Amino acid sequence: MDTMTYGHFDNQLREYVITNPMTPVRWINYIGTLNFGGFIDHVGGSLLCRGDPALNRITKYIPQLPASSFNGETLYLRTKKKSGYRLYSPYFVPTLDPLEVYECHVGLGYTQIVSEVDGLRTEVTIFVPIGETCALRDIRITNTSNSPLEVDVIPVVEYTHPDALKQFTNADWVPQTMQSEAVEDGTHLILMQYPFMFRENKVNYFTSDAPASSFETDRRIFLGEHEYRTWSNPLSLENPELNNSVALRGDNIAALMHHLGSLKPGESRRMITQLGQAESMAASRHSIERYRNQDNVDNAFKSLADSWETYLSRFQVETPDDDMDTMLNVHNPRQCFTTLNWSRYVSLYQLGLGARGIGFRDSSQDVLGIMVLAPDEGKQLIRQLLHVQKRDGSAMHQYNPLTMVANEGDARHVEDAPKYYSDDHLWIILAITAYLKETGDFSFLDEQIAFYEKDSALAPLESGTVFEHMIRALEFTRNDTGAHGLPRLGFADWNDTVNLRTGAESVFAAQLYGKALLEMIELSQALQDVGPVETYALYHNEMRQKVNEHSWDGEWYLRYFDADGTRLGSKSNTQGQIYTNAQSWSVISGYAPQERACAALEAVFTRLNTRCGIKLSAPGYDGYDPNKGGITTYPPGAKENGGIFLHANPWVIIAETMLGNGDRAYEYYRQMNPVAKNNHIDEFECEPYVYPQNILGDEHPQFGLARNSWLTGTASWAWQAATMYILGIMPTYQGLKLDPCIPHHWDGFNLRRYFRQAWYDIEVRNPEHVCRGIKSIFVDDEPLEGNILPIFRDGQTHRVSVTLGS
Ligand code: GLC
């Protein structure tokens, strides 16, 4: 095992610090929110948008380009020497000069790149002030050499057409419409940019707080494309001034020339650039003025830090596992906040194009990951999601956040395929009940929300209460069953890539339905609504019997029945014999009798577990089969086809804790923790500070290689598995339930959590070294009956001491 590292965690500053710019793939961080923001890569490139990366994208970022390529934004520094100019990028890309110091601080809502080259130290902090529609780059340059240095600073942005798909598909229309303008503003310059059709209502602007002497808006001229120059040696930077050309078409950029003059040894200068979007040039003035004042920049940065402090302080832990603490205290909640914002919309791997938008199932699960920290944001997203639920109870698969127009996901491209997914609508029940348990805000159930009509001009919108939406979701599944009485698969269930013939059935959908029913039973009990309690218990019982009657395969649960009754995920199959989800969810659904539950999870351990995580299924399908669909487009070991699809790992952890197996649950948690990969990145390749969606499985020659980092349901479920099931702090309607299920070797742990307007300082001790079981609980020195901490709602901190034991 190699020990190549590219950086380290700084838990004091809550950062990951990348110290080698030549990471195996680009590593990113997110700034701002979907309202305005995007990601910044570790070499300063940016993909920014406002409101929607598909329809209102600002910078041109092409993730498929090699890591050495310019993407979206950069910064050039130029020093004047006797021999002529020397040009550097303090971000490494695109000039690729070896840097004497390089640090990329991946912070909470900001990225800071620090570098030193040839006597110049540069620190650039990149962030979006909360609620604003501009990104700031706060640049500090210091002369660290022994002699004076003449320094020029040239920041550059490359724009995309706001319609990101058209940018890549129409190479005549796009350049014909792109236009720039330069506005002199005292000693400052403001460069405006817009597509012709939007110039009355949407302009991008780029400016700085330092005097600029010249500018460029046309990429051809900036680079000297007629000489086939590249971003690493732009022709125009060989001249004292830029060309001041105003692009009336073409590839629009914004570049500003700032002559800082001569910096004495040790002398520093600070300047701020702003890249923003406003409704008009006039409307941009406000923000431009505000962030030309460096105090305002400092205050905005402080507000950002304060908001993260508030967010994270609601849940802090101290366990014997430092890597777990690093994840739970900083990076996992940050990733949960990121998936809440961006769903699966825009990353290095999810390109934010076309009609992908916000996913119904994905976002419903994302909501589960931020409940402690940001329940109001969760509620807001639940509302939007319910708005794309159809009257029949099923849901549209995705929607565009700007237009609220929804679509049926991949199902819409396949003729004759069912136009729904069997799981989408069920996830929202989990999201709603999680919100209610966290907040006690039952009035939300009475809120009216319209159901989605594909063509709302033809049919008037029908509304229903949130509760009605939940009932319809359950009824849809109850009424949509196949030959074995199990839910029909639809186009797919959670596993997007198994697309069977119409009429196929999904064991997983049956199990998710079971979990949703358990939630409805608990909710109805809390509401003291006896009728529904009985009804849903009956539904649960019915489906439990069917699943156990038809889908037990002897040692584990089957995963699907195809339309002709063929079993998938059975020992009778040679490929795709066993699927993880059917096992983990047999426990989560409350369907599996004890003996089967144990056998099913044992089968996961012996047949699916690897040192890098649990595979989604095995063995992989080896060849394309149109009757199975997407899964067979991957080679064995990749993605859903026998890959380690990390999203599904926490479900096994949860199931193990439900059976009391704290050691195994923790072993699975530990093996998927990206922090623990920091020392063998050359195998893993992705950022060690976030969960990736997938890792190649052991059937693949590149076993251990991760991809699709950041935007994955792994974030939310790893958070839930660790906090609610391993550490065992679970919100319920009655109060905060404690039921830790930890590795037996732990002596205990400490945890501080916010719950319903009060703070709980919890100390758990494990003197007998058990995995699970509570001997005593004291709350503010008083013994507690049972394991549910009372709801205090008093703004105070309450001390809780828990002793585990058999
Ligand atoms: C991707 C999709 C998610 C799906 C999963 C498994 O992560 O975003 O919706 O459940 O793949 O196919």
Side-chain angles (χ1 to χ4, degrees), residues 235-457:
L235 184 64
S236 62
L237 294 183
E238 290 174 5
N239 302 321
E241 293 299 340
L242 299 171
N243 283 59
N244 290 342
S245 42
V246 175
L248 299 175
R249 64 175 308 288
D251 293 293
N252 287 196
I253 63 165
L256 290 173
M257 173 63 74
H258 306 91
H259 303 298
L260 295 192
S262 175
L263 267 66
K264 295 198 277 290
E267 189 181 348
S268 292
R269 294 286 169 81
R270 180 182 181 194
M271 60 175 275
I272 320 284
T273 65
Q274 296 183 43
L275 171 60
Q277 190 183 84
E279 282 60 47
S280 63
M281 294 193 198
S284 67
R285 292 305 305 201
H286 185 63
S287 160
I288 289 177
E289 294 304 332
R290 174 177 300 165
Y291 297 112
R292 279 205 186 132
N293 177 333
Q294 296 185 348
D295 289 343
N296 290 339
V297 175
D298 292 338
N299 290 338
F301 191 70
K302 181 161 186 311
S303 303
L304 182 68
D306 290 349
S307 100
W308 276 100
E309 173 59 34
T310 308
Y311 176 63
L312 295 182
S313 65
R314 289 179 157 220
F315 198 104
Q316 288 288 302
V317 297
E318 213 184 312
T319 73
D321 178 348
D322 291 345
D323 294 347
M324 185 175 195
D325 294 357
T326 298
M327 241 10 224
L328 292 182
N329 292 335
V330 183
H331 300 278
N332 193 353
R334 188 252 311 277
Q335 190 176 0
C336 288
F337 182 74
T338 308
T339 59
L340 180 85
N341 255 285
W342 298 97
S343 194
R344 308 294 169 269
Y345 213 178
V346 75
S347 73
L348 285 179
Y349 309 92
Q350 324 242 2
L351 302 188
L353 299 175
R356 176 154 182 140
I358 305 294
F360 196 94
R361 82 153 77 87
D362 294 326
S363 290
S364 299
Q365 294 171 74
D366 294 343
V367 165
L368 300 171
I370 48 84
M371 270 312 156
V372 195
L373 312 158
D376 296 337
E377 277 97 324
K379 180 186 189 180
Q380 194 48 36
L381 186 53
I382 292 171
R383 278 197 189 107
Q384 276 197 10
L385 291 164
L386 287 175
H387 188 68
V388 298
Q389 186 184 6
K390 292 184 280 183
R391 283 193 291 179
D392 69 7
S394 71
M396 300 298 283
H397 193 59
Q398 299 162 346
Y399 66 91
N400 181 290
L402 262 192
T403 61
M404 287 307 288
V405 172
N407 66 65
E408 292 102 345
D410 285 341
R412 72 191 187 282
H413 305 304
V414 185
E415 223 188 312
D416 297 337
K419 294 289 180 282
Y420 68 95
Y421 291 68
S422 47
D423 64 321
D424 277 341
H425 51 285
L426 295 169
W427 293 107
I428 198 75
I429 294 177
L430 274 53
I432 296 166
T433 51
Y435 171 73
L436 297 176
K437 288 180 194 173
E438 186 66 41
T439 61
D441 173 16
F442 290 103
S443 64
F444 184 47
L445 288 172
D446 300 325
E447 212 173 290
Q448 291 278 336
I449 295 179
F451 289 97
Y452 192 78
E453 287 294 343
K454 249 198 120 166
D455 194 345
S456 54

Side-chain angles (χ1 to χ4, degrees), residues 478-526:
R478 184 174 146 81
N479 295 321
D480 187 48
T481 52
H484 301 86
L486 305 179
R488 298 201 300 163
L489 175 64
F491 180 71
D493 59 27
W494 172 89
N495 188 330
D496 272 330
T497 65
V498 176
N499 316 117
L500 306 176
R501 287 161 285 201
T502 303
E505 292 161 277
S506 160
V507 173
F508 173 80
Q511 295 166 330
L512 176 60
Y513 170 71
K515 172 66 177 160
L517 286 168
L518 293 179
E519 290 296 341
M520 285 301 269
I521 294 169
E522 221 184 310
L523 172 62
S524 306
Q525 280 164 344

Side-chain angles (χ1 to χ4, degrees), residues 614-627:
I614 302 162
K615 297 184 281 184
L616 193 58
S617 60
Y621 297 101
D622 196 7
Y624 180 59
D625 176 353
N627 290 326

